[in-house]
Every structure is written in structure tokens, then in C-alpha cells.
């Protein structure tokens, strides 16, 4: 009896690109056309742009964690773990499950959308003492940490300790860093009403970046507007400055300043997932070099998209231009990547990825925001309406939209609370404890693992 097996499609990563691809595959493919498998440590898609609002307590963590099992057409098999290596020749993905078991997953077609990780540098003490802002766990942990600093400062009789606990340093003048500093500063400012023993002049926020401008993508006018808003709130913005070294109780800036602090939040950019380095393929600035159709040259059935792929930006017009690692691109690439994979299955021509830029939005909390929808510069309440309207509409499920809207309304009416949820354990967790960047294999280890698995197979 002849047995016909369906093609095996493996999608790596449940970010905007990976989930967008899986959802399109589920809608467009008939059940008997292919088997779809998704590799992700968590069965949810994180709406990353709203992470600073989770850190500040405006939104609950659950409201921006969109379940992958709510789809009515859900039929994707989910492997709870992370891909730590891929053998493109053998068509096998090596996966470390959440129980630390290592398994080999064969595939016929693979979509690589592992996203990005926090970019770090060889700065003494950075990974040991800094927090990141890339995962849901980090955002929840930072909120607990900041509130614990308020509690400890309020209870302390040591002036030096109080001053150190009430100084906060955020590194990175991009969207993540600027929004994180702005949202958390509002939280600590609101705390003055709840901590009557606290000297308001001791609460100091520092936002630093090595670049000469704050969020240069916004343009000079909006960038200056955002900087003026932050300074008006009392946030010390220092440009052309970075971290020289970090310690448990102080941070040294490259301009020589030493800031006593227990809180260093590092948001100075992202790099492609270390998974890309296991492939042994050509890269562009660390991202996998792919065609405009998001295929990997020289390897049939391999697609790559999102932050980990250097997708040519045909709209930019210039030679060598690649799409920036933004949610807007990742969502669109997910859909186009799925359509190209389906076209490959059905023997149809592939289409290149093209886009129209919708603009940029920066939510600074409260009534403060700067936005540039379709090139129109907005500030204040109109910009805030556009920013929150865009994020709300981009949420994938109606349940998530209802939760986020309810959280916004509740926060506007009732204000902030200062409840620690218990993430702040006695053993501190820092940047190196959340993203597991040391879990990946080398290309040689991947090949050896796959060959061993093949030899052991009966």
C-alpha cells in the first residue's frame, strides 16, 4: 500500500512575522495540503510595542500576550521550546524544549522568523547588572523592581541609600528606551502621593544614548518635541553618552559621571537571533541575506523574514537597502512569506515583498505623544489618539483589544497602583537571565547532533 505524506512546514518563532505566517497558512491551505508546526517557548504572540506600558503597570501582562490557541481554524502543532540550530542540508531543526530536552525536528519547508535579541557590548558589568526590555517576563520584573526601590527608599534612614534607590538609568534613545523611560517616570512621579516620606527631588531618571539625536527616524522637529517633553518631566536626557561600566550600586558614564543607582535598563538596540549564526549562510549586518521573495538563495524550501532576515527594501529605492526590524514590516512579511510558501507548494510564481510605510507612533504616557502617520507630524493629544488607535487596531484578537481598552480606561480613571506581584525575588535576575542567548549550538554541533540522530534512527 502506498502512503502519501503531506509536506511538513516548520515555522520558527511566534513573533509578528511567525504568527502572521502561521495564521495565513491556516487560512489559505487545505488541511490535506500540508502539516504546519510552530516552534516557540510560549503559546502566545507578544505585542512588543506595548511592553513599556506593562512595565509601568498601565496594562496587565495578559493583555498583550495573545494566545495562539484561540483561532477558529487552529490546527498548528506547537512545540514548546526554542530552535537552537538548523541543518539546512539535512533539513532538520534542533530544538531545546522547555524541559531542556533536545529533539531533532525534520521538515520539508522551513520559515525562519526567530526575531531578535537585545544587542549588548563588551561593557564591564553590563549583563550582570542591567535589565532588558524585550520579553514579557522582563517587563513584569522591572515593574516589581522599580516599586521595590520606592518601598526600600521610603523605609530607609540612610540618605545615600535613598538617593541611590531613587535614581534610574535607561540606555537607548530609540522607541523602546524613550517609551520605557517616559512610562516609568510617570509611575514614580505618581508615587509621590502614596509615599509621603519621600523627597520628590531625589527621584531622578536618566535617558542616555550614544547617538546625537533622540529617535532620528521621527525627524528633527518631532525628535526635539519628544526630548522637550521628557525634559519638562524632569528626565535628564544625555546624547553622545553611553555606559563605561556597570556595578550593583552605581553606573559610570563615558563622560566620567558616576550615578549611584540600583536600576540600569538597557534598550540600546537589537540584533538577529543567534539561531542565524548556526546556519553557516551569508548574512547582512548579522541578519540572514534573503531575496525580495524572502527565500534563502541556494536552499530550496527555506524562507526567512522579520527581524532575523535582511529583506531588501524595494520601496527605499537605494541599492543594498534592507527593511528595518520593526513590527510593521514583520507583520506584512509574515503574510507575504506564507503566500510565497503556498505558491511554492502549488508551483506558482512568487511575489516580492513590497510595502507602504504607515508612519511612526511614540506613546510617552498620559496625554503626551509624538506621531508621524503617513508623513503628517502630530504632537500631544492628537498624536496620542493616533498612537493608541494604531496599537489597538493592530492587536490580533478582539479579546486582546477589549483587555487593552479596559486597562487604558481603568488607568485613566483610577490612576496607578503600587502592588508588587512577587517577581522581585531575593535572587536578582538581570539581562543574562531572560533571553538564554548562550543556549545555541555551533554549526559543527548542529551537524554532529543531526548525524547522531540519523544514525540512531531505526
Amino acid at each position: 500500500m502506498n502512503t502519501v505524506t503531506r509536506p511538513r512546514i516548520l515555522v520558527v518563532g511566534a513573533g509578528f512575522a511567525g504568527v502572521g505566517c502561521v495564521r495565513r497558512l491556516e487560512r489559505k491551505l487545505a488541511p490535506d495540503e500540508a502539516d504546519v508546526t510552530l516552534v516557540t517557548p510560549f503559546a502566545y504572540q507578544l505585542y512588543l510595542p506595548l511592553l513599556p506600558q506593562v512595565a509601568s503597570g498601565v496594562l496587565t501582562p495578559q493583555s498583550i500576550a495573545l494566545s495562539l490557541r484561540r483561532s477558529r481554524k487552529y490546527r498548528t502543532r506547537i512545540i514548546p521550546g526554542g530552535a537552537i540550530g538548523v541543518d539546512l542540508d539535512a533539513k532538520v531543526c534542533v530544538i531545546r524544549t522547555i524541559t531542556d530536552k533536545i529533539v531533532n525536528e525534520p521538515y520539508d519547508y522551513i520559515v525562519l522568523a526567530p526575531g531578535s535579541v537585545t544587542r549588548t557590548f563588551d561593557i564591564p558589568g553590563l549583563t550582570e547588572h542591567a535589565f532588558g526590555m524585550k520579553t514579557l517576563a522582563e517587563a513584569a520584573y522591572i515593574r516589581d523592581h522599580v516599586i521595590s526601590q520606592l518601598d526600600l527608599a521610603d523605609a530607609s534612614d540612610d540618605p545615600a541609600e535613598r538617593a541611590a534607590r531613587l535614581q534610574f538609568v535607561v540606555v537607548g534613545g530609540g522607541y523602546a528606551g524613550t517609551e520605557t523611560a517616559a512610562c516609568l517616570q510617570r509611575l514614580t512621579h505618581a508615587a509621590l502621593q502614596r509615599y509621603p516620606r519621600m523627597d520628590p527631588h531625589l527621584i531622578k531618571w536618566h535617558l542616555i544614548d550614544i547617538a546625537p539625536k533622540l529617535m532620528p527616524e521621527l525627524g528633527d522637529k518631532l525628535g526635539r518635541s519628544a526630548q522637550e517633553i521628557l525634559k519638562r518631566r524632569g528626565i535628564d536626557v544625555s546624547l553622545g553618552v553611553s555606559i563605561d561600566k556597570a556595578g550593583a550600586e552605581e553606573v559610570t558614564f563615558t563622560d566620567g559621571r558616576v550615578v549611584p543607582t540600583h536600576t540600569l535598563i538597557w534598550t540600546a538596540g537589537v540584533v538577529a537571533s543567534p539561531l542565524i549564526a548556526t546556519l553557516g549562510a551569508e548574512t547582512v549586518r548579522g541578519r540572514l541575506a534573503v531575496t525580495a521573495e524572502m527565500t534563502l538563495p541556494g536552499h530550496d524550501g527555506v524562507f526567512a523574514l522579520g527581524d532575523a532576515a535582511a529583506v531588501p527594501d524595494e520601496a527605499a529605492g537605494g541599492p543594498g537597502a534592507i527593511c528595518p526590524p520593526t513590527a510593521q514590516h514583520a507583520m506584512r512579511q509574515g503574510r507575504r512569506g506564507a503566500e510565497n510558501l503556498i505558491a511554492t507548494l502549488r508551483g506558482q510564481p512568487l511575489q516580492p515583498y513590497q510595502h507602504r510605510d504607515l508612519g511612526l507612533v511614540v506613546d510617552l504616557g498620559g496625554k503626551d505623544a509624538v506621531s508621524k502617520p503617513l508623513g503628517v507630524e502630530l504632537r500631544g493629544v492628537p498624536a496620542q489618539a493616533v498612537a493608541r488607535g494604531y496599537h489597538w487596531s493592530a492587536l490580533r484578537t478582539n479579546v486582546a483589544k477589549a483587555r487593552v481598552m479596559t486597562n487604558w480606561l481603568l488607568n485613566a480613571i483610577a490612576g496607578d497602583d503600587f502592588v508588587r506581584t512577587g517577581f522581585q525575588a531575593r535572587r536578582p535576575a538581570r539581562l543574562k537571565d531572560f533571553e538564554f542567548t548562550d543556549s545555541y549550538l555551533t554549526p559543527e554541533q548542529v551537524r554532529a547532533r543531526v548525524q547522531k540522530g540519523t544514525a540512531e534512527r531505526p
Side-chain angles (χ1 to χ4, degrees):
M1 181 175 65
N2 294 327
T3 301
V4 178
T5 59
R6 292 186 292 270
R8 298 164 297 182
I9 299 174
L10 183 65
V11 180
V12 176
F16 289 106
V19 171
C21 180
V22 167
R23 288 292 175 253
R24 186 58 61 98
L25 290 174
E26 288 180 335
R27 292 190 184 98
K28 298 290 186 178
L29 282 177
D32 60 349
E33 278 191 272
D35 292 327
V36 181
T37 300
L38 175 65
V39 180
T40 174
F42 311 104
Y44 64 76
Q45 176 198 351
L46 177 64
Y47 190 80
L48 200 63
L50 291 178
L51 211 54
Q53 296 190 36
V54 171
S56 64
V58 174
L59 299 176
T60 61
Q62 188 181 12
S63 62
I64 66 167
L66 286 66
S67 172
L68 299 179
R69 301 186 186 275
R70 296 192 67 93
S71 171
R72 292 181 179 179
K73 295 188 177 182
Y74 168 76
R75 64 173 187 271
T76 298
R77 169 184 168 232
I78 296 178
I79 300 178
I84 58 174
V86 179
D87 188 329
L88 296 175
D89 295 328
K91 291 196 171 186
V92 173
C93 180
V94 182
I95 300 167
R96 187 189 301 274
T97 70
I98 57 176
T99 58
D100 276 337
K101 180 181 179 181
I102 298 180
V103 299
N104 292 350
E105 182 68 21
Y107 63 85
D108 297 303
Y109 299 89
I110 189 168
V111 179
L112 296 167
S116 56
V117 297
T118 302
R119 179 181 61 181
T120 58
F121 300 97
D122 189 19
I123 299 173
L126 176 64
T127 58
E128 292 81 7
H129 301 292
F131 301 103
M133 182 58 76
K134 197 75 173 64
T135 67
L136 195 61
E138 284 175 312
Y141 189 92
I142 286 174
R143 171 174 166 76
D144 264 17
H145 172 81
V146 169
I147 295 175
S148 73
Q149 299 313 297
L150 299 176
D151 288 342
L152 291 167
D154 185 61
S156 176
D157 293 323
D158 182 352
E161 181 186 2
R162 285 201 303 270
R165 292 196 181 280
L166 295 178
Q167 289 209 76
F168 308 90
V169 178
V170 180
V171 183
Y175 299 107
T178 301
E179 291 187 337
T180 297
C183 291
L184 284 172
Q185 185 275 336
R186 280 181 55 84
L187 177 69
T188 56
H189 179 74
L192 296 175
Q193 301 175 11
R194 312 296 177 91
Y195 295 84
R197 298 179 65 249
M198 195 175 296
D199 182 353
H201 297 97
L202 291 180
I203 299 181
K204 297 179 181 178
W205 280 86
H206 303 266
L207 175 62
I208 70 173
D209 193 85
I210 196 65
K213 295 180 181 180
L214 198 68
M215 295 180 293
E217 299 89 345
L218 284 173
D220 291 339
K221 291 183 179 180
L222 284 184
R224 283 196 301 269
S225 295
Q227 190 168 339
E228 289 169 2
I229 291 171
L230 299 180
K231 288 186 175 180
R232 187 172 69 243
R233 290 194 194 169
I235 299 176
D236 177 37
V237 179
S238 300
L239 300 175
V241 177
S242 188
I243 295 295
D244 185 55
K245 61 181 178 179
E249 299 182 1
E250 67 178 27
V251 172
T252 303
F253 293 175
T254 52
D255 61 5
R257 282 181 290 166
V258 178
V259 177
T261 182
H262 293 259
T263 308
L264 171 61
I265 302 174
W266 179 267
T267 65
V270 296
V271 294
S273 166
L275 177 67
I276 299 305
T278 74
L279 305 178
E282 181 183 354
T283 59
V284 177
R285 283 173 266 174
R287 301 165 70 185
L288 196 61
V290 297
T291 66
E293 292 76 22
M294 293 172 288
T295 60
L296 183 62
H299 296 276
D300 293 335
V302 179
F303 296 80
L305 34 140
D307 291 4
V311 180
D313 189 352
E314 297 191 345
I322 59 176
C323 297
T326 64
Q328 192 178 139
H329 282 290
M331 284 189 286
R332 297 171 176 180
Q333 289 172 10
R335 294 191 292 268
R336 173 56 62 191
E339 290 167 357
N340 280 345
L341 199 161
I342 293 170
T344 301
L345 284 171
R346 297 173 179 173
Q348 299 170 348
L350 279 60
Q351 300 296 321
Y353 170 70
Q354 296 177 331
H355 71 96
R356 182 189 178 201
D357 191 5
L358 296 179
L360 306 166
V361 295
V362 182
D363 187 338
L364 300 175
K367 298 179 181 179
D368 293 326
V370 289
S371 300
K372 197 174 182 180
L374 302 176
V376 179
E377 296 186 350
L378 300 174
R379 300 167 180 80
V381 175
Q384 182 65 281
V386 169
R388 294 205 168 181
Y390 172 78
H391 289 314
W392 186 82
S393 64
L395 292 166
R396 187 172 46 80
T397 68
N398 290 329
V399 171
K401 290 180 180 180
R403 284 178 176 152
V404 166
M405 183 60 72
T406 301
N407 286 171
W408 280 338
L409 292 174
L410 185 61
N411 182 260
I413 295 170
D416 298 294
D417 65 71
F418 300 91
V419 176
R420 284 185 282 127
T421 55
F423 286 99
Q424 180 63 29
R426 290 185 178 274
R427 187 183 72 84
R430 294 295 189 265
L431 190 64
K432 64 185 180 66
D433 299 311
F434 285 102
E435 297 191 44
F436 307 106
T437 53
D438 58 349
S439 298
Y440 295 85
L441 305 178
T442 65
E444 293 75 22
Q445 290 173 323
V446 172
R447 285 194 292 270
R449 171 75 197 180
V450 172
Q451 290 171 0
K452 180 182 179 182
T454 303
E456 293 176 350
R457 191 180 305 158

